[in-house]
Amino acid sequence: MRVLGIETSCDETGVAVYCSEVGLLAHDLYSQVAQHADYGGVVPELASRDHVRKLLPLCEKVLAEAGLAKSDLDAIAYTAGPGLIGALMVGSTTAHGLGLALGIPVLGVHHMEGHLLAPMLEPDPPAFPFIALLVSGGHTQLVQVQGIGEYVLLGESVDDAAGEAFDKTAKMLGLDYPGGPRVAALARSGQPGRFVFPRPMTHKPGLDFSFSGLKTYTANTLRDARAAGDDSQQTRADVALAFETAVAETLAIKCRRAMAATGIRRLIVAGGVSANVALREHLESLMEKEQGRVYYARHEFCTDNGAMIAYAGCQRLLAGQQDGDAMLAVPRWPMAELPPIA
Ligand code: KG4
Ligand code: ZN
């Protein structure tokens, strides 16, 4: 089955073709980051308009790269949520329009299920069951995954998502949006140990997260340094490193607890923050001690992309699931509501 995947939930237009027999045939991404940079974050209306401009040309380009005509497609998968409503509607209506014209099934995919299954596109993917740490701009969740659509939420952030905390910290450090990769780059020249930030919610039991206090701690540290006349680049780098280390270690501590609670030793880490090298180092040393293994998507599929939507959609379409006539755009959508695949 050849599936066209369409991702438009936020500020990236992603398109891919996945074939259940051969694997990923082609994929491409258009990032709107430059358009939103002046505003310090994503402007929803600008995002929707830009998806309208970019989506169909990107579909043509990806099909050409795959050496396919539209008539070679067997189905279309698109991100139905969660995300920005206007941006989602562009993907949803385009997918349904194409599906109707081609007379093929169309399926709305859950964005976080796309992230969760992205490591399956790599050679030697994990077997079920596994623990998934989902860390993106909007979500921080630990999920026990028994199979596709069999998700038990073990814990989640009670306030900011990990990616959101990176983005807010970046702003305080005077760095542009999206802040995660920029905080990580600045942290590389930080001195370890000059500042030590708290590991939120690790002193009491449980698998939930909280990152808003860490943000305040960062703000206070920078304010105190500035009050003492220190506004140097080195201090900003030291703060970036202390923040990044605290987030990475906190996430690793919760992953260790989730493994202890479930007895599962396979961990996948997905979503934009899974691109973070410090986090990967923390998790790899944890897994060495725990005699387990950690899996990721390749770097370009950690952040939003069409390949993960084509892959996740293909698994469900193969099981006979499809939308019918309804064009879905669901801004808030708990992943636990997804049906299992039969
Ligand atoms: O999964 P994603 O592309 O979009 C959402 O579904 O939210 O994740 C974007 C988030 C942003 O908050 C971004 O700052 C963060 O992932 N991010 C990173 C890194 N790369 C992206 N955070 C830390 N380190 C990185 N290398
Ligand atoms: Zn995402």
Side-chain angles (χ1 to χ4, degrees), residues 111 115 136-138 163-164 166-167 178-181 184 271-273 275-276 302-304:
H111 181 81
H115 276 306
S136 71
E164 193 181 353
F166 266 100
D167 295 336
V273 182
N276 187 274
C302 288
T303 45
D304 294 349

Side-chain angles (χ1 to χ4, degrees), residues 70-135:
K70 288 194 196 77
S71 55
D72 294 321
L73 294 171
D74 298 303
I76 301 176
Y78 65 95
T79 301
L84 303 171
I85 183 74
L88 291 168
M89 279 167 67
V90 178
S92 173
T93 50
T94 304
H96 273 272
L98 281 172
L100 197 64
L102 298 170
I104 56 178
V106 179
L107 178 70
V109 171
H110 193 291
H111 181 81
M112 296 313 293
E113 180 172 72
H115 276 306
L116 190 155
L117 296 176
M120 297 298 196
L121 286 162
E122 301 308 313
D124 194 17
F128 297 110
F130 53 76
I131 302 291
L133 173 67
L134 302 178
V135 271

Side-chain angles (χ1 to χ4, degrees), residues 40 62 71-72 79 88 136 153 161 170 173 220 227 276 281 292 299 341-342:
V62 167
S71 55
D72 294 321
T79 301
L88 291 168
S136 71
L153 183 65
L173 291 166
N220 291 343
N276 187 274
E281 284 170 1
H299 196 85
I341 61 169

